[in-house]
Amino acid sequence: TNPGFVVRITQAGLDYAHQQGIKVLEKELAQLKLPDISGDFRIRHVGKVRYEISRLDLRSFHLPYSRISLVPNAGLQVSISNAFAEVDGNWRVKIHFIRDHGSFDLKVENIYIKINLKLGSDASGKPTIDTSDCSTRISKVRVHFSGKFGWLYNLFHSAIESRFRKILENKVCENVVSSVRSELQPYLRTLPVTARIDAMAGIDYSLVAPPTTTAQSLDVDLKGEFFSLAHRSAVPFPPLALAFPPDHDRMVYFGASSYFFNTAGFAYHGAGALVFEITDSLVVSPRNGGLCRCPYPLPAPLQLEKMYPDMLMKLRLSASSAPFLNIGPGGLSLKPVVDIQAYAILPNSSLAPLFLLSLVSNVSAVIDVKSGHIVGSLKVGRYGGGAAKALFCPPLSAPQVRMLQSIMNVFASSILLPRLNARLDQGFPLPLPDRIQLSNILVRFHQ
């Protein structure tokens, strides 16, 4: 399935996310709980030595050098080098009748960690991430003991270092796997699969396929489809292939195809949102000489004040079909058809149909991104074309139709357009995880 919306995260974006993630991982590793160590070993000419290491306290764990890499068709890899840690604790030793105890400090240096991350999606279309592989290698461990008998410490010095190396190598990867599942995976799940826009519509941002990695970027294909909350129906047109521009100099790119915007028109049209009714004694009254707040007189035979004296009029503006939008290098454009049905409101509150007018116009759209929302506004060219049908005789002449179209143009521009632009100014949310804010935004149009 082709996406209607694509999110591209470049190496620059991954580097920024990696900076935040390493801070979390460093904090998590500094809270490692190390187990007590005990054991015995036999020394020639000396006998069996029994030792205990307890109350281990990992004072710090630093990750000064790390990087994240894109692995094409596989996922992500995090490499950490020259990490180091410091541990304090108590020791106790027994050899025959000799007993001693004290404290120690241990420094672990040249820690190398490699983490492979696999990206995917679940049945609900949410992104998933897990550790596909993790390895840790420690090349240097130094222990300093405090106590009375220096010669005694050297007996188990190398054994303690070896035990610590093995324990830390296992514990680090256990903690990495746990952190990915407890920190990173829940965070990715804050990406909204569906976003409620208002009382009528929502947006489906579910993944249509697992994320893909190339040498330059991580691409996430989303459905990008508006839908009616009252009754979701299949969109009658397919999403076309979205050819993403090959830019990679910014952290993140959002690509929205015409399918994304056209499903909005389809959803709102199906929900009845593109219908506007106007009843206003100031707008429609024989005392102001016409149908609107303007000096246009009604053409003969539309002298409605003679047919319906002192009666209000109701206008019903509606889109005869869902508007279809096109995207090109010059921007967004559409040619909606607006039907204007006029009624006289009779004394018994029933409606007497007067005329039906269909108008077509060229509309251009301007969009921007503010506070994580796509916002926009419409600019309408002069209405024309279409057809006018009066529901009374005699029929209208061509000049009368043109005059009526001019009057209705004022209605469409002064009533319909401001209402649509007020809604567009509220915007539609972008698919952003929690705590993400966008800056230095640039909007471009492509064929």
Side-chain angles (χ1 to χ4, degrees):
T1 301
N2 289 322
F5 201 97
V6 173
V7 180
R8 168 169 289 174
I9 304 172
T10 65
Q11 183 66 55
L14 289 173
D15 289 342
Y16 179 79
H18 167 252
Q19 293 173 13
Q20 312 308 313
I22 283 295
K23 293 177 183 177
V24 174
L25 182 59
E26 191 173 63
K27 184 178 178 181
E28 290 289 323
L29 289 175
Q31 297 175 3
L32 275 176
K33 301 299 181 183
L34 300 178
D36 293 347
I37 302 173
S38 62
D40 53 60
F41 55 94
R42 188 170 296 275
I43 301 177
R44 189 177 181 183
H45 306 306
V46 176
K48 187 171 69 172
V49 178
R50 178 73 181 175
Y51 66 90
E52 295 179 5
I53 304 294
S54 61
R55 296 184 180 179
L56 300 177
D57 178 27
L58 184 61
R59 288 191 288 115
S60 63
F61 206 119
H62 299 284
L63 308 175
Y65 304 105
S66 63
R67 63 187 179 92
I68 189 168
S69 305
L70 288 153
V71 182
N73 303 317
L76 304 173
Q77 185 177 90
V78 179
S79 302
I80 300 169
S81 59
N82 295 327
F84 60 93
E86 296 177 308
V87 182
D88 291 339
N90 296 332
W91 64 271
R92 184 180 299 273
V93 70
K94 175 184 177 183
I95 176 172
H96 298 308
F97 58 89
I98 301 175
R99 299 172 185 268
D100 198 7
H101 66 277
S103 61
F104 75 93
D105 62 81
L106 178 144
K107 293 185 178 180
V108 187
E109 300 174 338
N110 297 341
I111 305 173
Y112 299 89
I113 308 170
K114 184 177 289 185
I115 308 161
N116 291 333
L117 299 173
K118 182 180 180 181
L119 304 168
S121 58
D122 62 16
S124 67
K126 281 186 174 290
T128 62
I129 188 167
D130 204 355
T131 307
S132 59
D133 185 49
C134 178
S135 61
T136 303
R137 180 172 56 87
I138 299 173
S139 62
K140 184 183 290 188
V141 178
R142 295 186 298 169
V143 185
H144 175 71
F145 293 96
S146 63
K148 299 177 182 179
F149 307 107
W151 63 271
L152 189 59
Y153 317 143
N154 293 327
L155 296 179
F156 59 94
H157 185 279
S158 60
I160 294 301
E161 289 182 350
S162 178
R163 290 288 299 275
F164 264 112
R165 179 181 289 107
K166 187 171 295 185
I167 289 173
L168 276 176
E169 286 178 346
N170 291 333
K171 282 289 184 180
V172 165
C173 275
E174 287 179 12
N175 190 273
V176 166
V177 172
S178 175
S179 295
V180 169
R181 292 176 179 173
S182 64
E183 298 283 346
L184 190 53
Q185 170 71 355
Y187 177 71
L188 286 186
R189 293 187 68 81
T190 65
L191 180 77
V193 167
T194 57
R196 182 186 176 96
I197 302 172
D198 49 35
M200 292 187 176
I203 306 179
D204 187 340
Y205 280 132
S206 59
L207 276 67
V208 298
T212 58
T213 52
T214 67
Q216 293 82 29
S217 66
L218 166 66
D219 289 353
V220 186
D221 292 349
L222 310 178
K223 196 171 186 68
E225 181 180 296
F226 285 74
F227 61 91
S228 170
L229 295 177
H231 176 66
R232 185 167 185 174
S233 56
V235 178
F237 46 87
L240 301 178
L242 197 159
F244 216 79
D247 298 345
H248 297 97
D249 58 329
R250 297 200 172 214
M251 289 186 180
V252 63
Y253 291 82
F254 299 92
S257 73
S258 57
Y259 178 83
F260 174 76
F261 295 103
N262 286 326
T263 59
F266 176 75
Y268 279 102
H269 181 267
L274 303 184
V275 177
F276 303 90
E277 292 188 346
I278 305 168
T279 302
D280 190 338
S281 59
L282 295 178
V283 175
V284 184
S285 171
R287 284 185 290 275
N288 72 359
L291 289 171
C292 59
R293 297 187 186 95
C294 60
Y296 292 130
L298 284 176
L302 294 183
Q303 300 300 320
L304 300 181
E305 65 270 24
K306 297 179 180 178
M307 301 177 62
Y308 301 98
D310 295 317
M311 294 183 190
L312 297 180
M313 182 180 289
K314 173 182 284 189
L315 293 180
R316 187 176 187 269
L317 287 72
S318 62
S320 58
S321 61
F324 198 81
L325 177 146
N326 292 302
I327 301 177
L332 291 81
S333 62
L334 60 157
K335 286 188 175 183
V337 177
V338 179
D339 290 341
I340 302 178
Q341 175 74 64
Y343 302 90
I345 304 176
L346 303 179
N348 62 0
S349 298
S350 61
L351 301 177
L354 301 178
F355 61 85
L356 173 65
L357 183 66
S358 293
L359 301 176
V360 182
S361 179
N362 293 317
V363 179
S364 60
V366 177
I367 66 169
D368 200 355
V369 175
K370 296 179 181 178
S371 301
H373 285 66
I374 301 175
V375 298
S377 62
L378 300 176
K379 183 179 181 181
V380 181
R382 189 168 185 81
Y383 280 91
K389 179 182 180 182
L391 302 181
F392 48 83
C393 293
L396 300 178
S397 64
Q400 291 172 335
V401 170
R402 287 194 294 270
M403 180 174 288
L404 193 57
Q405 288 174 336
S406 298
I407 296 173
M408 293 302 101
N409 180 62
V410 175
F411 271 109
S413 299
S414 61
I415 303 296
L416 180 60
L417 190 62
R419 293 190 183 186
L420 290 175
N421 282 336
R423 176 62 192 88
L424 292 174
D425 190 57
Q426 298 174 20
F428 309 108
L430 287 169
L432 294 173
D434 287 349
R435 305 187 301 277
I436 292 292
Q437 293 181 335
L438 303 177
S439 61
N440 194 19
I441 299 165
L442 176 65
V443 178
R444 294 177 181 172
F445 300 98
H446 299 270
Q447 186 66 46

